[in-house]
């Protein structure tokens, strides 16, 4: 039997015999390499420039990607590319990737351990906590935790929001409200964002930024009360 090293050398030699158009591209071979190199978009479009090597984001306008659902990440790349989620930065980045590269880089970020870009400590706003965990039946606002998890660390219906920068969340809600962003199912986020006041958008965004980041460990129901949500907004 050939040794592993000998087998690897044979594979490399075989690759060298391939036409240049068929040789594996070292810059797009894995999801990590796509993130580091920018894939077909080149180094200027490398994901790590904004999202960091660990995928934690910058704590400001750039979100965390590490630990997010792979299907969600892949959908966002497709939506950036086809214009359903217009963005002057991510549009060109996504359009430079083919479907294989999108799948590879989405998988790589999804498998990174989630962590926040920096510690955020603030007093819990009970109104924001109640909005997230309980909603407001009088205004037809379903609890955010139904889709995003009781702990904000994702559920089958939506991505993780815990630990994402408040400025990023605030901006996304503004984009939903104005239909600048329109890649939500059944216009759900459009309706929710338009029923929130500007002050509530800021409060909920700040509340979510302060939630702990990590694998979802909540055993409570998706609408269960969390610290600070002592009463429903519909009772106020």
């Amino acid at each position: 039997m050939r040794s592993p090293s000998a087998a690897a050398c044979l594979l490399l030699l075989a690759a060298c015999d391939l036409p240049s158009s068929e040789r594996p591209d070292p810059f797009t071979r894995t999801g990590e390499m796509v993130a580091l190199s920018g894939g077909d978009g080149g180094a200027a479009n490398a994901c790590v420039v904004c999202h960091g090597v660990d995928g934690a984001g910058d704590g400001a306008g750039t979100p965390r990607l590490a630990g997010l659902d792979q299907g969600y990440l892949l959908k966002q790349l497709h939506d950036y590319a086809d214009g359903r989620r217009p963005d002057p930065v991510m549009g060109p980045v996504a359009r430079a990737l083919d479907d294989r590269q999108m799948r590879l880089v989405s998988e790589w970020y999804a498998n990174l351990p989630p962590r926040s870009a920096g510690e955020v400590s603030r007093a819990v706003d009970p109104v924001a906590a109640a909005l997230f965990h309980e909603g407001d039946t009088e205004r037809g606002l379903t609890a955010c935790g139904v889709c995003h998890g009781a702990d904000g660390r994702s559920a089958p219906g939506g991505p993780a929001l815990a630990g994402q920068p408040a400025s990023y969340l605030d901006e996304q809600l503004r984009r939903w409200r104005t239909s600048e962003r329109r890649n939500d199912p059944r216009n759900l986020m459009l309706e929710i964002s338009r029923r929130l006041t500007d002050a509530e958008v800021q409060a909920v965004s700040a509340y979510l930024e302060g939630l702990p980041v990590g694998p979802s460990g909540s055993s409570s129901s998706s609408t269960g009360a969390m610290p600070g949500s002592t009463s429903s907004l519909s009772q106020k």
Side-chain angles (χ1 to χ4, degrees):
M1 294 181 64
R2 295 188 180 95
S3 67
S5 58
C9 289
L10 287 174
L11 288 173
L12 288 173
L13 288 172
C16 291
D17 290 336
L18 291 172
S20 59
S21 60
E22 298 180 18
R23 291 175 191 168
D25 182 353
F27 294 108
T28 63
R29 185 175 297 165
T30 67
E32 181 179 14
M33 287 308 302
V34 173
L36 292 170
S37 70
D40 291 342
N45 288 337
C47 310
V48 297
V49 172
C50 296
H51 296 282
V53 176
D54 56 2
D58 64 1
T62 303
R64 168 176 60 87
L65 301 183
L68 296 187
D69 179 74
Q70 180 186 359
Y72 172 78
L73 291 173
L74 180 59
K75 181 183 185 303
Q76 300 314 300
L77 284 172
H78 281 297
D79 291 349
Y80 280 128
D82 66 20
R84 279 178 291 178
R85 185 175 177 180
D87 189 272
V89 175
M90 284 303 304
V93 171
R95 285 191 290 272
L97 302 176
D98 61 27
D99 187 66
R100 185 187 70 86
Q101 293 168 19
M102 288 184 182
R103 290 181 181 277
L104 286 173
V105 75
S106 297
E107 181 180 20
W108 185 68
Y109 274 117
N111 288 324
L112 287 179
R115 75 171 189 83
S116 62
E119 292 298 323
V120 177
S121 178
R122 57 167 60 91
V124 173
D125 182 333
V127 174
L131 259 178
F132 182 84
H133 299 289
E134 301 170 35
D136 186 347
T137 56
E138 289 185 358
R139 287 188 286 164
L141 281 169
T142 302
C144 309
V146 170
C147 293
H148 298 283
D151 51 12
R153 301 180 197 177
S154 86
L161 301 180
Q164 295 287 25
S167 57
Y168 167 77
L169 296 172
D170 188 297
E171 173 65 12
Q172 295 310 303
L173 282 166
R174 184 197 66 77
R175 292 187 181 192
W176 290 119
R177 179 184 289 178
T178 60
S179 290
E180 182 179 347
R181 180 176 176 181
R182 51 187 182 276
N183 63 334
D184 54 328
R186 303 183 305 279
N187 293 321
L188 180 62
M189 287 305 302
L190 170 69
E191 295 299 324
I192 289 174
S193 61
R194 288 183 175 179
R195 293 174 188 176
L196 295 171
T197 67
D198 290 342
E200 288 171 339
V201 167
Q202 293 176 3
V204 170
S205 298
Y207 171 72
L208 287 168
E209 184 180 43
L211 289 180
V213 175
S216 180
S218 173
S219 59
S220 60
S221 68
S222 58
T223 56
M226 295 288 281
S229 63
T230 57
S231 60
S232 172
L233 287 181
S234 62
Q235 298 172 338
K236 291 184 180 293

